[in-house]
Amino acid sequence: MSRMSDPLVIGRVIGDVVDSFSPTVKMSVTYNSNKHVYNGLELFPSAVTSKPGAEVLEGDMRSFFTLIMTDPDVPGPSDPYLREHFHWIVTNIPGTTDSSFGKEVVSYELPRPNIGIHRFVFLLFKQKKRQAVNPPLSRDRFSSRQFAEENELGLPVAAVFFNCQRETAARRR
């Protein structure tokens, strides 16, 4: 696939959140066991209140992975000066299993965008070995790049994002 038609490039995940990378494994992220996340999908906060299932589909049982969920559009997409705000970190996920088999380092925080349409990005990194990671001190002003560098994770091996915006009372009816 041409990089120019890559949804991660079009959605500015590559650039705003991570550097260019080539996916080497497949990852599936699902909310409420039936809503599969794909790049650019629009979900409302009411659809993402409980943590999703995230499954590594093409790893092997000798490999371990770290999953990060982050919002690069805080406080709003037109001026994201607090970029990034992370929502979830799970480490030591064995290949070919899901996030429930990993170690939840930071618990899931549901998306609550106030201004505009936010991107919520899931990044999967392959670990060199089973390892502990240093959790960030704050959810705000997070950097996926810096986190990956500090924990020797390298570039992601998979990524997917969805869009989310605040629900009005009329939309919830």
Side-chain angles (χ1 to χ4, degrees):
M1 171 178 1
S2 164
R3 295 304 291 169
M4 295 310 292
S5 62
D6 184 332
L8 297 173
V9 172
I10 294 167
R12 297 183 339 273
V13 170
I14 292 177
D16 288 353
V17 183
V18 292
D19 295 326
S20 184
F21 72 97
S22 294
T24 56
V25 300
K26 289 196 188 294
M27 168 179 63
S28 172
V29 178
T30 309
Y31 278 96
N32 304 318
S33 67
N34 66 355
K35 189 56 138 176
H36 291 277
V37 175
Y38 58 84
N39 290 319
L41 174 69
E42 184 167 336
L43 294 171
F44 289 110
S46 60
V48 294
T49 56
S50 53
K51 77 178 154 189
E55 187 175 1
V56 179
L57 301 173
E58 292 181 355
D60 62 66
M61 290 307 288
R62 294 179 310 273
S63 300
F64 294 94
F65 296 87
T66 293
L67 177 71
I68 298 171
M69 178 184 174
T70 185
D71 175 359
D73 299 317
V74 179
S78 61
D79 186 18
Y81 63 88
L82 294 176
R83 172 179 293 166
E84 299 167 39
H85 180 91
F86 79 85
H87 287 261
W88 196 29
I89 297 177
V90 182
T91 64
N92 295 322
I93 303 167
T96 70
T97 67
D98 63 54
S99 54
S100 67
F101 289 93
K103 179 181 186 332
E104 190 173 59
V105 176
V106 182
S107 63
Y108 178 76
E109 178 183 270
L110 67 112
R112 289 190 199 120
N114 286 323
I115 304 165
I117 299 171
H118 289 234
R119 296 165 293 166
F120 289 88
V121 182
F122 293 92
L123 299 169
L124 187 70
F125 297 89
K126 185 174 183 179
Q127 299 170 198
K128 292 183 173 127
K129 61 186 183 323
R130 182 183 284 268
Q131 69 186 64
V133 300
N134 300 316
L137 300 174
S138 168
R139 289 184 186 258
D140 287 322
R141 299 188 190 272
F142 177 73
S143 167
S144 295
R145 286 180 180 95
Q146 184 177 346
F147 178 82
E149 184 178 316
E150 288 170 357
N151 291 284
E152 299 178 2
L153 297 171
L155 290 171
V157 294
V160 66
F161 76 98
F162 68 90
N163 295 315
C164 188
Q165 64 182 311
R166 195 171 127 207
E167 288 176 88
T168 62
R171 282 192 181 140
R172 278 178 271 187
R173 283 189 220 151

